[in-house]
Amino acid sequence: AQSVTQPDIHITVSEGASLELRCNYSYGATPYLFWYVQSPGQGLQLLLKYFSGDTLVQGIKGFEAEFKRSQSSFNLRKPSVHWSDAAEYFCAVVNTGNQFYFGTGTSLTVIT
Amino acid sequence: DGGITQSPKYLFRKEGQNVTLSCEQNLNHDAMYWYRQDPGQGLRLIYYSQIVNDFQKGDIAEGYSVSREKKESFPLTVTSAQKNPTAFYLCASRPQVGNQPQHFGDGTRLSIL
């Protein structure tokens, strides 16, 4: 069965510090992976996606993620966090039946 | 601009009442989804539809119903059988082919009076 785990429920970082949000997936075939961001009371916005090829993918707002098949991970990173990055972040995988599986999310607080 | 419109933004339901949440998209997407979001639980799939006049139950379909009479529209009815309907509801859509990402509306927050 497909699943996504985000081990960190809440992370606090200082503005300007680097960020890494963890995501582990369980999927038998080649995974199609996504990271979304959600501001309070809003819908989810796509940050980046991985289908195949280069394992380091670039997204919007200066985010990137690295796919590591050996570790079943797809961690999200940003070199320098801005106060506006405070939000909820979700990792997701889609299966061949077009069903999406989301992690439970990581809430990011940025200290200024 | 293309996108997904959910209405209303806030909705209040009385005990024993059915309410319908609207979701409209002009992205020409085949597939549409309804999720329920509760604090600390991420997104849980209620129903999804991959084509007009067809839909499938998700993980938490009990107490909910949907219809897909038009490609653009996928309304969700929260029935009186749903005993704990207070939540944030998100609608999403995506193209059917190519493992494309979902696009989300801005959500409807449903509360019980």
Side-chain angles (χ1 to χ4, degrees):
Chain A
Q2 299 83 12
S3 67
V4 174
T5 301
Q6 294 181 245
D8 304 306
I9 295 173
H10 186 235
I11 285 183
T12 299
V13 299
S14 297
E15 189 172 28
S18 64
L19 172 70
E20 181 169 31
L21 303 182
R22 296 185 291 166
C23 172
N24 294 99
Y25 66 89
S26 173
Y27 188 61
T30 300
Y32 297 92
L33 296 157
F34 308 88
W35 273 101
Y36 287 87
V37 61
Q38 183 183 34
S39 297
Q42 299 295 315
L44 276 66
Q45 180 185 20
L46 180 70
L47 284 175
L48 48 79
K49 59 187 179 184
Y50 172 78
F51 289 164
S52 64
D54 194 349
T55 57
L56 184 64
V57 294
Q58 303 296 321
I60 63 172
K61 304 185 179 186
F63 286 92
E64 66 179 26
E66 185 171 14
F67 171 65
K68 293 185 177 180
R69 184 184 298 276
S70 62
Q71 299 179 18
S72 297
S73 69
F74 187 56
N75 294 349
L76 182 71
R77 302 194 295 244
K78 187 170 185 178
S80 178
V81 171
H82 188 262
W83 64 266
S84 60
D85 293 324
E88 188 94 15
Y89 292 81
F90 293 93
C91 182
V93 64
V94 60
N95 67 6
T96 53
N98 293 317
Q99 283 197 29
F100 276 67
Y101 295 86
F102 287 85
T104 52
T106 297
S107 177
L108 175 65
T109 296
V110 180
I111 298 174
T112 57
Chain B
D1 289 338
I4 299 176
T5 301
Q6 290 189 242
S7 61
K9 182 71 172 176
Y10 300 95
L11 187 58
F12 297 91
R13 194 191 89 170
K14 296 179 180 179
E15 294 287 344
Q17 184 182 46
N18 293 353
V19 292
T20 298
L21 285 61
S22 171
C23 178
E24 302 278 334
Q25 55 100 358
N26 60 4
L27 299 167
N28 199 35
H29 289 169
D30 294 304
M32 297 187 73
Y33 305 76
W34 273 106
Y35 292 93
R36 170 178 171 143
Q37 187 175 25
D38 296 281
Q41 297 196 44
L43 277 68
R44 292 185 290 168
L45 183 64
I46 305 173
Y47 270 98
Y48 66 103
S49 167
Q50 300 190 65
I51 195 171
V52 174
N53 292 323
D54 187 45
F55 46 82
Q56 288 79 41
K57 293 181 178 179
D59 301 320
I60 56 165
E62 184 175 354
Y64 300 97
S65 65
V66 294
S67 63
R68 187 84 187 277
E69 298 177 359
K70 298 186 301 181
K71 188 175 184 178
E72 303 80 19
S73 179
F74 192 41
L76 173 74
T77 296
V78 184
T79 74
S80 57
Q82 172 52 244
K83 297 307 179 186
N84 185 25
T86 297
F88 191 54
Y89 292 86
L90 286 163
C91 179
S93 72
R94 64 187 289 263
Q96 187 68 331
V97 296
N99 289 301
Q100 294 300 311
Q102 292 180 332
H103 298 253
F104 284 83
D106 284 338
T108 293
R109 184 165 299 281
L110 176 62
S111 301
I112 298 301
L113 289 176

